[in-house]
Amino acid sequence: MKKITFLILSALMLSTFSWHLNAQTYSGAGTPTPIPATGTGGFPCTGGPTVSTANVPLTGVIGTAPGEYQITSLAFNIVHTWASDIDLALLTPGGSTLDITSDNGGSSGFDTAATLIIRDDAPTAVNTWSSGAPSANGYRAEAGLLNTLLAGQTVNGNWTINICDDTGGDSGTLNSYQITFVMNPVTVGDPPVIVCPSDITANNIPGTCGAVANYSALAIDTEDGNISGDIVSTHPSGSTFPVGVTTVTLSVTDSDGNTSTCDFTVTVLDNEAPMAVCQDITVDLDPVTGMAVITAADVDNGSTDNCGIASMSLDVSSFDCSMTGANTVTLTVTDNSGNSTTCTSTVTVQDVTAPEVFCVGGFGIFTESEDFEGANIPTGWTTVIEAGARDWQFGSGDMPIGPDFSSNAAIFNDDAAGSGQTNLVRLLSPVYDLTGASNVTVGYDAAFREFGNQEFIVEVYDGSAWQQIALYDENLTAILTESFDVSAYVNASFQVRYTFDDLGGWGWGAGVDNFLLTYEAAAGGGLDVFLDANGMASISPNDLVTGVNEACGYTISAAGTGGGSMETLTTTFAGGNGLDGAM
């Protein structure tokens, strides 16, 4: 058996060993005891602190060798009116003084009795504790790792803590103090040797996201012989393993209580491509932009994958007027392992919106808009600073507080103007001649947040005075879209004005976006035609039209009668976006 063990050890790396540890806890004397209510100085609390001593009768030193000791935890149950006033020091039998915690926990950590646990394996140090009750996971001491700092010191004797309130004016009680040690185990006999299988790689079972892995392992012990049947695994042989890498840990314990472990990995590869399923769709071009946009979800018709789809993409996702009719689009489906499959869809693009024509002497709908997308004030718009020094800002949609605009907007940031300054600022639209217009509406998106008492006012000019159409003097919790009928105020000098007034206070601010003025008006007078000496006249169809709204091109034709005959003239244009001017 000794020879077999030697051969195994010479061919394989030694496994790691683990033991069960016996904890021994000792309590500090004299508790509960008050924590001084007057300032007693900071760490190490030498000016009349609260003291509690735990007498430890163990024989040995702090260390990592078998038979040596480790401090597993310090536990302090405390109630105090201001946790961050507390400094706590540990005095060891070997003469060291360690800073356990100084000025941590904020104001409320010990409002009610709570236990502060200090241990070297805690996830964070105690100086990360800034408020609320201490974490049940504990903290590392402020000085550092206890067992590292105290390595080699005796465990026998008095382990004393000093607690002081380094500020004064508050009070509390140390309810209990405990210190816990464990002895590093002394190995009895030889630990077993456990041999893991080599790392395993397998492909997924078709239609599933995993694979079954079978394996065997060997465990030999000097005293007990072959104990492979006692091996315990985190993932027994024959388990189903998910796609990816899984670490398997094997452990075995001999009759002396010595435990050895080893690790290996099972890697399952997903080599199964997704199933891409497409559907044909029909889309309509936007009547203004002449564009249509689709997403992969529009084309997808239930694509699947055994382990989940990571992404779907299209080779073509936007269409314009030149693409009316059938278009072949390819959908690419990619799974979480990078496998991909494609399918094709027919996207039929339609232009279903008839042109909007404005004729000479006719009546049309007109719009004026401003989206404030530029970094500067738009052409034709003006600002007026009635009070203060700060002006309206452009090039961002971020409000100083509250919901932001989804794109750039006109914003006045009263908060950035600072306190102690009165601000009254105006933003004015261009002047619009609305003579003879009807069905006039003003629309916009508004944001307003006050702090105290501020106002945001919207007005229109009626030719002689400003008329208020909206007042915001309470917080808007969302961007508000407004539309007002202002037909009563039409005139040749129509204008819109936005005013923010902080009324002498220090507020947040206001913003406006997506300004839209819509109205109906005559497109012009009739067309005068003069006959020549032969009693004849000819005109172009273009002379009869003042504008056309059509995104994808159009044809103008005109028909008329005179002298018993009819003549038709036709003109074709390549088209354009929005309202075309007179031709």
Side-chain angles (χ1 to χ4, degrees), residues 202-249:
N203 291 325
N204 70 291
I205 298 173
T208 72
C209 197
V212 174
N214 296 291
Y215 61 86
S216 60
L218 174 68
I220 302 294
D221 183 69
T222 303
E223 292 80 19
D224 301 330
N226 191 325
I227 55 174
S228 300
D230 296 331
I231 294 175
V232 176
S233 175
T234 56
H235 301 76
S237 177
S239 298
T240 298
F241 291 81
V243 166
V245 180
T246 301
T247 298
V248 180
T249 299

Side-chain angles (χ1 to χ4, degrees), residues 396-405 411-416 446-452 454 475-479 500 506-511:
S396 171
D398 296 339
M399 289 290 294
I401 194 174
D404 297 324
F405 291 96
I411 294 175
F412 182 78
N413 189 337
D414 194 55
D415 179 57
F448 174 67
R449 294 303 290 263
E450 64 178 350
F451 183 78
Q454 287 84 44
N475 283 328
L476 297 179
T477 58
I479 302 297
F500 177 83
W506 187 15
W508 291 112

Side-chain angles (χ1 to χ4, degrees), residues 358 546-550 554 573 575-583:
F358 303 97
T546 61
V548 178
N549 276 336
E550 168 56 40
Y554 54 88
F573 293 87
N577 295 330
L579 178 65
D580 292 352
M583 291 152 286

Side-chain angles (χ1 to χ4, degrees), residues 363-368 429-442 460-463 484-496 515-522:
F363 214 70
I365 299 175
F366 298 87
T367 60
E368 303 285 349
S429 75
V431 174
Y432 305 105
D433 184 354
L434 299 185
T435 302
S438 61
N439 295 325
V440 184
T441 61
V442 169
V460 296
Y461 189 66
D462 68 359
F484 298 95
D485 186 338
V486 293
S487 302
Y489 307 118
V490 297
N491 65 94
S493 302
F494 184 86
Q495 198 172 16
V496 181
F515 170 83
L516 180 64
L517 172 65
T518 304
Y519 59 95
E520 295 181 9

Side-chain angles (χ1 to χ4, degrees), residues 442 444 457-460 467-471 484-486 489 496:
V442 169
Y444 55 86
I457 303 168
V458 184
E459 303 164 291
V460 296
Q467 303 292 337
Q468 178 178 300
I469 61 173
L471 169 65
F484 298 95
D485 186 338
V486 293
Y489 307 118
V496 181

Side-chain angles (χ1 to χ4, degrees), residues 330-351:
T330 300
L331 172 69
T332 300
V333 180
T334 304
D335 68 15
N336 292 324
S337 297
N339 303 309
S340 62
T341 306
T342 63
C343 61
T344 59
S345 166
T346 299
V347 178
T348 302
V349 178
Q350 300 182 141
D351 177 12

